[in-house]
């Protein structure tokens, strides 16, 4: 879905603000496996996925790649550590499919947020959604079995098995690829 369509479904913006935002968010296409951000980046950009699937990941134990989160169409993502705390973000951002990404510098977006109560409300709601998603993820990793995490992942991302490599899915679930194969065989 295009950014303007996404915004129109959630808030009522003036036609002028819609035009300004459409022009302010740069649209770019990237190939599958493109690394939009590398771990330990200091990016100040906010991204919106119009088309494609992405993941955030970090490097653990001598470069082992661990998937932190998946982002599909109609999702915003940004390196919170860099933007709000002026620290490097431990998370890289990799595109798992050919993707259309919209981006804007956070400082520029902040100017528009200050001009629009509707946009400020939208950003607050989006941040609450992100907090909820990460709270759910934290709970899942602490209290749910691998089978339960797998089931919930399929509910959240119904087509994930067709879109993401199994290794990324296994690391997102906190299990080995072999365990993932056993769980999939049981279904």
């Amino acid at each position: 879905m295009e950014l303007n369509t996404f915004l129109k479904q959630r808030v009522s913006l003036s036609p002028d603000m819609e035009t300004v935002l459409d022009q302010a968010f740069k649209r770019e296409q990237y190939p599958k496996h493109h690394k939009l951000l590398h771990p330990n980046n200091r990016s100040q950009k906010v991204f919106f996925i119009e088309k494609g699937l992405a993941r955030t990941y970090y490097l653990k134990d001598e470069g082992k790649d661990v998937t932190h989160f998946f982002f599909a169409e109609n999702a915003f993502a940004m390196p919170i550590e860099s933007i709000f705390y002026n620290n490097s973000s431990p998370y890289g951002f990799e595109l798992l499919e050919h993707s259309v990404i919209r981006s804007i510098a956070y400082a520029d977006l902040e100017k528009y947020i200050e001009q629009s109560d509707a946009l400020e409300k939208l950003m607050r709601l989006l941040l609450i959604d992100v907090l909820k998603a990460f709270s759910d993820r934290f709970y899942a990793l602490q209290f749910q079995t691998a089978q339960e995490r797998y089931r919930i992942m399929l509910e959240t991302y119904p087509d994930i098995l067709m879109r993401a490599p199994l290794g990324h899915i296994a690391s997102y679930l906190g299990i080995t690829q072999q365990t993932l194969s056993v769980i999939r065989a049981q279904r």
Side-chain angles (χ1 to χ4, degrees), residues 17 19 25 52 66 84 99 107 152 180 183:
M17 182 57 80
T19 301
F25 272 84
V66 179
F84 296 107
S99 300
I152 290 168
L180 177 59
I183 292 170

Side-chain angles (χ1 to χ4, degrees), residues 67-86:
T67 297
H68 179 252
F69 211 77
F70 290 107
F71 295 89
E73 290 83 3
N74 309 320
F76 280 94
M78 64 180 136
I80 292 169
E81 300 82 2
S82 299
I83 291 173
F84 296 107
Y85 297 100
N86 202 28

Side-chain angles (χ1 to χ4, degrees), residues 113-180:
I113 293 169
E114 290 172 4
Q115 296 172 20
S116 169
D117 289 340
L119 200 53
E120 183 176 17
K121 180 181 179 183
L122 173 67
M123 295 310 289
R124 188 172 53 252
L125 293 174
L126 291 173
L127 289 172
I128 290 168
D129 287 346
V130 168
L131 283 172
K132 174 72 169 107
F134 284 125
S135 175
D136 290 348
R137 176 138 168 76
F138 185 69
Y139 178 86
L141 289 172
Q142 281 195 308
F143 301 111
Q144 294 174 337
T145 66
Q147 290 86 351
E148 290 171 321
R149 292 193 305 270
Y150 178 76
R151 179 186 52 77
I152 290 168
M153 180 200 65
L154 291 179
E155 291 170 4
T156 307
Y157 306 104
D159 57 354
I160 194 75
L161 293 172
M162 295 181 297
R163 298 179 75 182
L166 292 180
H168 295 330
I169 292 170
S171 70
Y172 171 76
L173 294 171
I175 59 177
T176 65
Q177 221 170 318
Q178 181 179 6
T179 301
L180 177 59

